[in-house]
Amino acid sequence: MATSIGDIMAALGTRLNAIDGLRGYGYAPDNPSPPCAFPLVPDIGSYREAMKRGTYVIPFQVAVLTGAQLDRTGQKSLAGFVSQTGTASVRVALEDGDKTLGGIVNDLVVDSFTSRGLEEVGLVGYYGGLFTVRVIATGV
């Protein structure tokens, strides 16, 4: 049976929550409390190609937000989450942890990170960016 998008998002949130000092969510929260990370509902270019029988690949975006109250602190925190190695690294938490997300997908790869700089969500400012995470799962 194919894994649902919601199940994959929840499992990504669980892996992100394993990073000490980072709040991982399986959804985009209404009022994010930094530092936090969460997957966004992915774009599906073509259901026929993306979710055909066999395996399929879906590129998820994972947002990371850190506080902007103190510029230096927020940027330093974000740099730790973006680092290739270290205990705060999102790449390490996702790729070096359980890449099957508890057995619901076949594999995942952290492809890239795009810095978004200073972002505003409502009336609050954050430093943030987006990881692209390629998830490979079994189709129907």
Side-chain angles (χ1 to χ4, degrees), residues 58-105:
I58 298 178
F60 281 83
Q61 289 189 317
V62 173
V64 177
L65 301 174
T66 63
Q69 299 84 349
L70 299 171
D71 291 348
R72 186 176 306 158
T73 303
Q75 291 176 61
K76 186 175 179 181
S77 179
L78 183 60
F81 297 132
V82 174
S83 291
Q84 177 74 1
T85 61
T87 58
S89 170
V90 168
R91 190 212 60 81
V92 167
L94 294 178
E95 283 192 354
D96 293 354
D98 179 8
K99 291 176 69 166
T100 69
L101 301 176
I104 66 170
V105 302

Side-chain angles (χ1 to χ4, degrees), residues 30-134:
D30 292 338
N31 191 10
S33 180
C36 65
F38 48 88
L40 303 172
V41 176
D43 294 331
I44 305 294
S46 167
Y47 277 101
R48 303 260 186 275
E49 293 174 19
M51 298 178 147
K52 60 188 174 190
R53 295 178 187 266
T55 58
Y56 60 90
V57 178
I58 298 178
F60 281 83
Q61 289 189 317
V62 173
V64 177
L65 301 174
T66 63
Q69 299 84 349
L70 299 171
D71 291 348
R72 186 176 306 158
T73 303
Q75 291 176 61
K76 186 175 179 181
S77 179
L78 183 60
F81 297 132
V82 174
S83 291
Q84 177 74 1
T85 61
T87 58
S89 170
V90 168
R91 190 212 60 81
V92 167
L94 294 178
E95 283 192 354
D96 293 354
D98 179 8
K99 291 176 69 166
T100 69
L101 301 176
I104 66 170
V105 302
N106 299 349
D107 198 7
L108 65 80
V109 177
V110 178
D111 280 327
S112 63
F113 175 79
T114 303
S115 178
R116 304 287 295 203
L118 187 59
E119 292 273 323
E120 287 190 15
V121 179
L123 299 174
V124 180
Y126 302 92
Y127 283 104
L130 296 170
F131 284 92
T132 299
V133 179
R134 203 170 4 122

